Structure formats: structure tokens, C-alpha cells
Amino acid sequence: MQLYLPIAEVAVNLYLLLGLGTLVGMLSGMFGVGGGFLITPLLFFMGIPPAVAVATGANQIVASSISAVLAHLKRRTVDLRMGTVLLIGGLIGAGLGVYVFNLLREMGQVDLLVRLCYVVFLGVIGALMFVESLRALMQSKRGAPPRRRHHGWVHGLPFKMRFRTSGLYISAIPPLMVGVSVGLLAAIMGVGGGFIMVPAMIYLLGMPTKVVIGTSLFQIIFVTAFTTLLHATTMYTVDMVLALALIVGGVVGAQLGAVIGAKLRAEQLRILLALLVLGVCGKLALELLLTPSELYLIDAPGVG
């Protein structure tokens, strides 16, 4: 069944969109990521213009993240205080990111920038996560005791706060900076930023994995909602027909993902996420390197 998208000006398969939304929703529940790092590139592959994919993908992330965070709140694995600090930084970053995105779009360079950002960020983060997760998995199989957390430069910074749910007493500056970075990514790449935030919260801030997932989702909800609003009111690139189809699948998938994620060990969750990130990165890199099927494309005004 073909569905015409008025803003994107293309026709796509409705069942494919519903399946895509369900898959991304499952990722939200399992890994604590919004799923934008997967949904936005997949929308590229389906022929959706990057500007529309970025703005509308953020819309779907809001719905799937709300559905997933409700499941985590029931298990009390959301650090609301940490989430609030991350959120403040995220809103600042989102505002800056939308300004940069619109500036580059006027220059006609946004499509290439978005794709290059995905390849670089996904490649680096995926590789680091895979190596660390594989090492942790091998240590757990050998029965080796987990390494103790060492106090690094993060613990020496001022403006310390106590985050009881995470069991931390650290400076508010690193979470704030992580939030700003994620907000920038949300605006420029159409992602919730979970694939950056989850590793940062585990390895930089030292948060427990079970608390990281729910806290990440809490922050993602508000940052992506703010980003969607800015895109919709400044460049009019949010396709509500596309967003609705993705949201329906995403809400269902998020509940399934939360159940599956609760049954897996932390090391298994991290290595699965790393493999997924590297897979999407490889596909995008291949598309940038290969000669496109159409060397010339006539772009509709206000969409490209």
C-alpha cells in the first residue's frame, strides 16, 4: 500500500514505514537510544530528502522515547535529577544546532554534511563501544572481577551535585556538556543522541548501565520535541503523514524493547548496540563512495 508524503513529495510503502517505526521503537526500549541514528539513514535509503528525514525523524523519536521511559519509570531506573541537568544542556545545544542546520541548508551543503556526520560519529562511537564491550564480555566469561572505577578529571571539577539514583557525587559540568553535544546532534542529524549519550554516561560519568537507559530516554524526549518544533516553525520540513506512520509503529516497538532489554546482560546490550551502529555506518559510507544511480537530481524548492 503506497502512501504519499506531501512535504517530502514522494510515495512510500505504508507497511514498510510501520515496520521501520516498530524496529526503532524496540531499540529505544532496549538500549536507551532514541533510534534517530538508524531511522534517519533508513529514511534516506527510502528516498526521503535529508532535510525532511532529519526533522521528521526527531518527531518519531519523541513518541517511542515516551513509551519506553514509562516502562523504565515503573522499574525506578530513571535518574530524574541527572536527566534534568542533561536536558538543560540539550536545549541549549538544540537551539545552536538548528541555527547551524538552517544556515548550511541555505548554502546548499546540508545533505553532504548530515551524511558525513553520520559516517564519522557512527564509525568512531561504534568502534569504541565494540572494543570495550567485547573486552567486558570476555572478562565476565573468564570470571574476572570487574575493574573498579577510578576517579579521573571529571571528579575534580567544581559545582558538584549528588545524584542518588545513580549513586554519584560529581560536578554538573560534564553532564551539562554531554547535553549540549546531544542537542547539537539532535538538530543537525535528526537523532536523539542516545548513541553518543549512553557511552558518555557509562564511561565518562560512571553511571550504572541499568540507570543510563531510562535517564537517556528522559532527556531525549524533551530535546527532540524542542528540535522538532524549531524545524517545523523555521523551515517547515516536518512531514506529519510520515511522522504519524512512524509513531504508530514506534510506540508498540518501545514496549517490546523494554521487555527484551530487561532480560539481557549489560555487556550483551552494549555489544549489540555497537554492531548495529557499525552496520549503519558501513552502509552510509558505501553510499558516499559508490557512484549514484542518478548523477543529476532536480530538487524541489524548499525541500532539499
Side-chain angles (χ1 to χ4, degrees):
M1 179 180 174
Q2 293 296 108
L3 181 69
Y4 181 73
L5 307 176
I7 302 298
E9 297 185 341
V10 295
V12 295
N13 188 290
L14 174 60
Y15 301 116
L16 185 60
L17 283 180
L18 290 173
L20 178 59
T22 302
L23 173 63
V24 172
M26 287 181 68
L27 293 177
S28 293
M30 287 176 66
F31 302 122
V33 298
F37 73 93
L38 181 63
I39 198 168
T40 308
L42 288 177
L43 289 175
F44 294 167
F45 304 153
M46 293 170 64
I48 308 298
V52 177
V54 166
T56 309
N59 212 330
Q60 189 270 350
I61 294 166
V62 177
S64 59
S65 296
I66 289 173
S67 178
V69 86
L70 289 174
H72 286 281
L73 281 169
K74 290 178 182 177
R75 292 199 289 269
R76 297 183 179 179
T77 52
V78 180
D79 190 328
L80 294 175
R81 195 171 193 187
M82 177 68 79
T84 302
V85 176
L86 291 166
L87 174 58
I88 292 169
L91 294 178
I92 296 169
L96 293 172
V98 168
Y99 173 77
V100 173
F101 183 90
N102 291 340
L103 193 64
L104 289 166
R105 190 166 181 264
E106 290 173 2
M107 295 167 59
Q109 300 298 318
V110 73
D111 290 12
L112 180 61
L113 172 75
V114 169
R115 291 175 187 270
L116 284 174
C117 280
Y118 267 101
V119 172
V120 173
F121 277 104
L122 295 181
V124 172
I125 295 299
L128 291 174
M129 283 188 67
F130 180 78
V131 171
E132 193 283 334
S133 301
L134 194 61
R135 186 186 298 117
L137 198 61
M138 291 174 68
Q139 284 180 345
S140 65
K141 284 185 177 180
R142 290 197 301 263
R147 288 181 299 177
R148 295 182 63 185
R149 292 176 190 164
H150 295 286
H151 288 264
W153 62 271
V154 171
H155 297 84
L157 295 174
F159 307 112
K160 288 190 175 183
M161 293 179 64
R162 191 172 298 281
F163 302 97
R164 298 188 184 280
T165 307
S166 301
L168 296 175
Y169 180 60
I170 60 171
S171 169
I173 296 174
L176 198 65
M177 291 299 100
V178 170
V180 171
S181 302
V182 169
L184 280 165
L185 291 176
I188 295 174
M189 298 170 63
V191 299
F195 70 96
I196 295 287
M197 186 159 54
V198 169
M201 290 163 77
I202 294 172
Y203 305 123
L204 180 64
L205 305 181
M207 291 176 63
T209 302
K210 65 177 183 179
V211 178
V212 163
I213 294 174
T215 308
S216 169
L217 290 168
F218 172 79
Q219 189 262 7
I220 284 169
I221 291 169
F222 298 99
V223 172
T224 47
F226 182 62
T227 301
T228 301
L229 181 64
L230 290 178
H231 278 298
T233 55
T234 57
M235 300 303 287
Y236 312 106
T237 49
V238 176
D239 193 312
M240 290 309 299
V241 177
L242 173 61
L244 185 60
L246 293 171
I247 285 169
V248 171
V251 170
V252 176
Q255 294 297 319
L256 294 173
V259 174
I260 296 170
K263 297 179 180 179
L264 295 175
R265 288 161 47 196
E267 295 87 357
Q268 294 171 326
L269 282 171
R270 293 204 296 268
I271 203 165
L272 285 173
L273 179 58
L275 289 171
L276 189 61
V277 168
L278 288 173
V280 175
C281 173
K283 171 67 175 170
L284 279 172
L286 197 62
E287 287 209 338
L288 284 174
L289 294 172
L290 294 177
T291 305
S293 56
E294 296 181 13
L295 293 177
Y296 300 98
L297 179 66
I298 298 175
D299 196 11
V303 175

